[in-house]
Amino acid sequence: WEHEDLIDNHWVNEYETPGNNQDDDGNGYIDDYNGWNPPDDDDDIPGGNHGTAVSSMIGARGDNEIGIAGVNWDVGIMQVTVGGLNEANVMEAYAYPLTMRQLYNESGGTEGAFVVATNASWGIDFGQPDDAPLWCAYYDTLGENGILNCGATANNNVDIDEVGDL
């Protein structure tokens, strides 16, 4: 998120004071100013690589004579990481944007964040929904709270309907 084409579209939790080791906004997350990193229980979001490329496609600033332009030049990108790809880690990662949207909904917009969509550019090739029922049902919960979910699929020439994908 610190990339020069992303920094202006990096979402921050304005209700949180960074680095004071407190949950200033009462959302259950301590010092979640820059988003959330569930494996480390902090807002230290690793940079570079795949996440930076995907965030750039979504929201790199345009018309600034540097780098590239994303699809939306004026967007808030909430950075959330996921640990290893298993059902528990995925649900923990999705819990943060869900919590923030629920706070927004319940407070009439004075708390939390107006999370519109999540993007999961990761997954489990050949994964089956029956193997991750809680993960799959969580998409319904997110949707019920107003969050659209976008996900990537396999990067190979297979029929997902036949081989599966999570």
Side-chain angles (χ1 to χ4, degrees), residues 32-148:
D32 58 313
Y33 184 75
N34 286 310
W36 196 242
N37 180 341
D40 294 338
D41 284 330
D42 62 27
D43 72 343
D44 184 19
I45 307 296
N49 301 320
H50 186 75
T52 301
V54 172
S55 292
S56 296
M57 286 182 263
I58 294 168
R61 284 288 183 148
D63 202 23
N64 60 4
E65 299 183 20
I66 56 174
I68 67 166
V71 174
N72 189 340
W73 297 357
D74 187 20
V75 63
I77 300 174
M78 175 189 285
Q79 304 292 336
V80 179
T81 61
V82 63
L85 288 178
N86 62 50
E87 193 169 45
N89 289 349
V90 167
M91 291 179 60
E92 188 176 15
Y94 279 129
Y96 184 74
L98 176 61
T99 296
M100 296 305 280
R101 178 61 189 258
Q102 287 174 326
L103 285 170
Y104 181 91
N105 292 349
E106 293 164 4
S107 71
T110 61
E111 297 177 29
F114 184 59
V115 178
V116 175
T118 63
N119 178 68
S121 60
W122 42 263
I124 300 175
D125 290 344
F126 312 110
Q128 299 296 324
D130 289 343
D131 296 332
L134 299 176
W135 171 357
C136 293
Y138 212 74
Y139 289 117
D140 292 333
T141 302
L142 291 160
E144 290 164 1
N145 285 273
I147 302 173
L148 174 69

